[in-house]
Amino acid sequence: MTKLRLGVNIDHVATVRNARGEGYPDPVRAAEMALAAGAVGITAHLREDRRHISDADIDALAVICRKRGRPLNFEMAVTPEMEAIALAHLPHAACLVPERREEVTTEGGLDVVKGHNAITPVVRRLVGAGIRVSCFIDADPAQVAAAAAAGSQVIELHTGAFCQAVRERSPDASRLLDNLCAAAREGARLGLEVHAGHGIDYETVKPVAVIPQLRELNIGHFLIGEAIFIGLGPAIQRMRALMEESRAVNAA
Ligand code: PXP
């Protein structure tokens, strides 16, 4: 089975920094450590309200990722402001996400079906600038088809509902995993590269990582939390080991 890459989202290093208005902990230092520990690339979400990652963080992350030849995955709402920032930085990848100010985190996928007319031209302009564009969507075949029709090369499947169901020991977990598998198959059938992310921890990474069509996982909050106890490098190494073990078991 093909290798599964790990992108590390460092947003919540900035959350801790911003809680005290200090200059530490520095998300750029976390990005350097993540790359050294085996993350393939760095993911950061510049939210409209700048609650964690700042414009200056994106400037600095773009510089270090370029210097190290590693991908920066810029998570962005579909707004003129974010599009202009993406086009100014030309990150390796942009992941289009829905954003509501009052949400605690990205609660659901982007509705590409409903938002088709607004999203398609943005996808086209970003792709035209050489950015690999991903749509962060729920595991729904209609959303997969709409993301492909909009011209995105990648879909990232929202694993949040599945991960939460696992944590709550809900009987919905197996149905939600089936939906993720079906959406991944459909994405690959349409020629899209398939990624997944949101809410993944050491337990939920295992059933997600075995989905054969997946090429990349983006994981943040759990890793940054775990870093408090064991350090960021070891947390990333353990996550990567679990991903590799799960892929190997399935391939055997
Ligand atoms: N992928 C996307 C598109 C996201 O918006 C997020 C959260 O910012 C993640 C992955 C990572 O989710 P988590 O921080 O829960 O691991």
Side-chain angles (χ1 to χ4, degrees), residues 147-166:
S152 72
Q153 304 110 313
V154 179
I155 48 170
E156 181 166 324
L157 299 175
H158 196 310
T159 49
F162 166 69
C163 294
Q164 195 177 349
V166 170

Side-chain angles (χ1 to χ4, degrees), residues 9 11-12 45 75 95 97 105-106 136 156 197-200 218-222:
N9 179 316
D11 291 351
H12 296 298
H45 184 179
E75 284 183 12
C95 180
V97 300
T105 181
T106 313
F136 185 47
E156 181 166 324
H198 211 283
I200 295 175
N218 283 299
I219 308 180
H221 186 254
F222 176 81

Side-chain angles (χ1 to χ4, degrees), residues 136-205:
F136 185 47
I137 56 171
D138 289 330
D140 168 353
Q143 295 295 343
V144 177
S152 72
Q153 304 110 313
V154 179
I155 48 170
E156 181 166 324
L157 299 175
H158 196 310
T159 49
F162 166 69
C163 294
Q164 195 177 349
V166 170
R167 276 193 279 279
E168 290 170 355
R169 303 290 175 240
S170 160
D172 291 341
S174 71
R175 176 185 56 82
L176 292 166
L177 184 60
D178 288 347
N179 292 348
L180 288 166
C181 294
R185 275 197 304 275
E186 182 59 7
R189 194 185 68 79
L190 293 175
L192 300 168
E193 182 168 309
V194 186
H195 301 176
H198 211 283
I200 295 175
D201 61 15
Y202 291 149
E203 180 182 13
T204 48
V205 74

Side-chain angles (χ1 to χ4, degrees), residues 50-244:
R50 310 303 198 265
R51 71 173 68 152
H52 38 56
I53 291 293
S54 67
D55 296 70
D57 292 329
I58 292 294
D59 294 346
L61 290 167
V63 169
I64 70 135
C65 286
R66 189 155 298 129
K67 206 160 91 188
R68 304 203 175 288
R70 300 296 194 87
L72 173 64
N73 178 27
F74 179 64
E75 284 183 12
M76 54 175 276
V78 185
T79 64
E81 182 198 19
M82 290 302 152
E83 182 183 344
I85 293 170
L87 291 173
H89 281 295
L90 299 178
H92 170 81
C95 180
L96 306 184
V97 300
E99 204 175 291
R100 286 189 300 116
R101 258 176 196 269
E102 61 279 15
E103 70 189 359
V104 175
T105 181
T106 313
E107 283 165 3
L110 186 67
D111 190 343
V112 192
V113 174
K114 227 193 218 159
H116 184 265
N117 291 346
I119 294 166
T120 302
V122 177
V123 173
R124 296 269 145 87
R125 287 191 290 270
L126 294 172
V127 170
I131 301 171
R132 187 199 69 185
V133 176
S134 161
C135 289
F136 185 47
I137 56 171
D138 289 330
D140 168 353
Q143 295 295 343
V144 177
S152 72
Q153 304 110 313
V154 179
I155 48 170
E156 181 166 324
L157 299 175
H158 196 310
T159 49
F162 166 69
C163 294
Q164 195 177 349
V166 170
R167 276 193 279 279
E168 290 170 355
R169 303 290 175 240
S170 160
D172 291 341
S174 71
R175 176 185 56 82
L176 292 166
L177 184 60
D178 288 347
N179 292 348
L180 288 166
C181 294
R185 275 197 304 275
E186 182 59 7
R189 194 185 68 79
L190 293 175
L192 300 168
E193 182 168 309
V194 186
H195 301 176
H198 211 283
I200 295 175
D201 61 15
Y202 291 149
E203 180 182 13
T204 48
V205 74
K206 296 180 201 164
V208 171
V210 297
I211 300 173
Q213 293 83 9
L214 291 181
R215 296 286 169 271
E216 183 175 307
L217 299 184
N218 283 299
I219 308 180
H221 186 254
F222 176 81
L223 287 173
I224 303 306
E226 188 67 359
I228 295 168
F229 304 106
I230 67 167
L232 186 57
I236 289 169
Q237 283 157 1
R238 172 137 189 239
M239 188 63 83
R240 282 204 52 207
L242 291 169
M243 286 163 61
E244 275 163 30

